[in-house]
Amino acid sequence: LGPELPAALAGAADALLEGVSRRDLADRAGRVSATYRRGGASSVAIGGAADATAYVLSRLPATYAAITAAIEAVEAAAPDFAPRALLDAGAGPGGASWAALQAWPRIESAVLLDSSPVFLEMARRLAVAGPPTLAQAEFLRGDLTRPEPGWPRADLVIVSYALAEIAPDRLDAVVEGLWAACAGVLVIVEPGTPAGTERVLAARERLVTAGARVAAPCPHDRPCPLAAPSWCHFSQRLPRRRDHRLAKGADAPFEDEKYAYVVLARPEVELAPAGDRVIAPPRVGKPGIDLEVCGADGVERRFVAKRDRAAYAEHRRLAWGDRLARR
Ligand SMILES: C[S@@+](CC[C@H](N)C(=O)[O-])C[C@H]1O[C@@H](n2cnc3c(N)ncnc32)[C@H](O)[C@@H]1O
């Protein structure tokens, strides 16, 4: 599983551009992004199919990449977890579903739930190019703040970049509703801003109290030891394809998506022993590597000297977000 869109999704995204002027796309993508940056919800940012196309071309590659990083953390924390049913809550165009099916092709059923008919239509249009589970998925219109008894339960529930759009006083209820729908693992991904991390931590705290175990990124279930001005977040580098660059009006062949996430597991899900996690970009200097690590005893700085050859070799390739092998 890599950060790059699967070829079938990239192809379906490019096909949306038939007959669309690149200038209009770039203008629209700029407006959509500006609305999200101002804190506007999708109901404001995405007025119609053309806006959804702009989202697919300009934002989906990055949210997809962040989701793949969170899914890789699930795979590392719960190597035997093999979900059969997926609920993609606040699915938008369905990037999380595509990523989940890349990681676990044996998922048999998928429900993409969203309040936006425009996004649901876009998700359906893209899904036609996807694996059979996605092409035959259920596209369910619903409001996460008003859970309905008929909503399906799934052993994998993903909610990506959607909690930001829930009114703060409804967040607890939404998170509890998602947990009720989850029979195995719940993955929450948000933008890697202080506010995004705050939402992730609030959900984490709420659900730990309800009996959830934290599978990633934290090696413990206790309150987050990071204090302002630091906040727990990570960065995923992704390549930009040509149409992605056009939509963004940017030349760089890659971008770095900052994200925050948490993976919560039901007690029945078997978890591998937790390893400490690198929570900032490692600083490599002449004498050795400086790491900021979150471990069972909280956050600590670790220096690995170059002359300590065995330890240096073990730590040399570690990147921000990686889990250290358990000693
Ligand atoms: C920024 S988009 C993220 C889409 C997708 N999950 C992703 O990662 O790219 C937020 C999505 O959440 C949906 N959403 C917001 N509030 C919702 C609610 N109360 N119930 C259901 N969906 C909601 C929006 O319609 C939109 O599709």
Side-chain angles (χ1 to χ4, degrees):
L1 188 67
E4 220 165 320
L5 295 185
L9 177 53
D14 289 346
L16 298 172
L17 286 175
E18 255 164 57
V20 174
S21 108
R22 302 303 193 262
R23 166 164 289 244
D24 180 55
L25 173 74
D27 289 351
R28 213 172 267 279
R31 280 200 302 276
V32 166
S33 290
T35 306
Y36 281 124
R37 265 199 305 278
R38 279 198 307 272
S42 300
S43 51
V44 181
I46 309 296
D51 294 329
T53 295
Y55 183 93
V56 168
L57 269 299
S58 65
R59 276 302 289 155
L60 175 75
T63 63
Y64 177 90
I67 295 159
T68 60
I71 285 180
E72 280 173 356
V74 177
E75 291 175 319
D80 294 333
F81 178 61
R84 289 296 165 103
L86 163 71
L87 171 63
D88 183 354
S97 297
W98 280 84
L101 276 151
Q102 281 288 114
W104 296 288
R106 285 160 74 176
I107 291 177
E108 290 163 356
S109 68
V111 176
L112 285 75
L113 185 139
D114 206 287
S115 52
S116 158
V118 175
F119 261 145
L120 282 176
E121 187 45 43
M122 178 56 77
R124 194 195 309 266
R125 208 165 148 190
L126 297 173
V128 172
T133 300
L134 197 52
Q136 289 148 25
E138 186 180 353
F139 298 87
L140 188 61
R141 188 159 179 207
D143 181 346
L144 290 171
T145 65
R146 293 191 193 131
E148 290 168 32
W151 285 0
R153 244 178 143 232
D155 43 10
L156 176 63
V157 178
I158 306 183
V159 58
S160 62
Y161 291 82
L163 293 187
E165 303 195 4
I166 305 293
D169 64 338
R170 305 306 305 274
L171 261 182
D172 279 352
V174 166
V175 165
E176 279 165 14
L178 292 171
W179 187 239
C182 172
V185 166
L186 168 64
V187 181
I188 300 175
V189 185
E190 280 289 292
T193 57
T197 298
E198 205 176 301
R199 282 188 293 275
V200 168
L201 289 179
R204 174 187 185 277
E205 190 183 333
R206 189 85 187 177
L207 296 184
V208 166
T209 312
R213 289 171 311 148
V214 181
C218 334
H220 56 81
D221 291 353
R222 293 189 309 280
C224 177
L226 272 179
S230 298
W231 71 97
C232 182
H233 67 292
F234 303 95
S235 182
Q236 174 76 306
R237 177 156 290 189
L238 60 132
R240 280 181 175 151
R241 291 172 311 108
R242 198 177 68 96
D243 287 330
H244 184 192
R245 286 205 297 271
L246 284 173
K248 288 251 157 173
D251 291 332
F254 65 84
E255 68 186 45
D256 292 317
E257 173 69 7
K258 303 284 195 309
Y259 65 98
Y261 77 103
V262 67
V263 178
L264 298 156
R266 290 262 174 211
E268 307 81 60
V269 176
E270 202 175 317
L271 297 182
D276 301 349
R277 195 170 299 269
V278 180
I279 56 163
R283 284 204 298 268
V284 183
K286 258 204 172 143
I289 311 167
D290 237 327
L291 293 168
E292 194 175 347
V293 166
C294 189
D297 301 322
V299 174
E300 54 176 277
R301 292 209 107 86
R302 267 183 221 163
F303 179 71
V304 184
K306 210 171 208 167
R307 62 185 142 70
D308 186 350
R309 289 208 182 160
Y312 188 80
E314 197 185 315
H315 290 81
R316 198 163 58 99
R317 292 192 194 285
L318 283 174
W320 184 9
D322 282 354
R323 214 162 75 136
L324 273 72
R326 220 180 127 79
R327 274 165 293 169

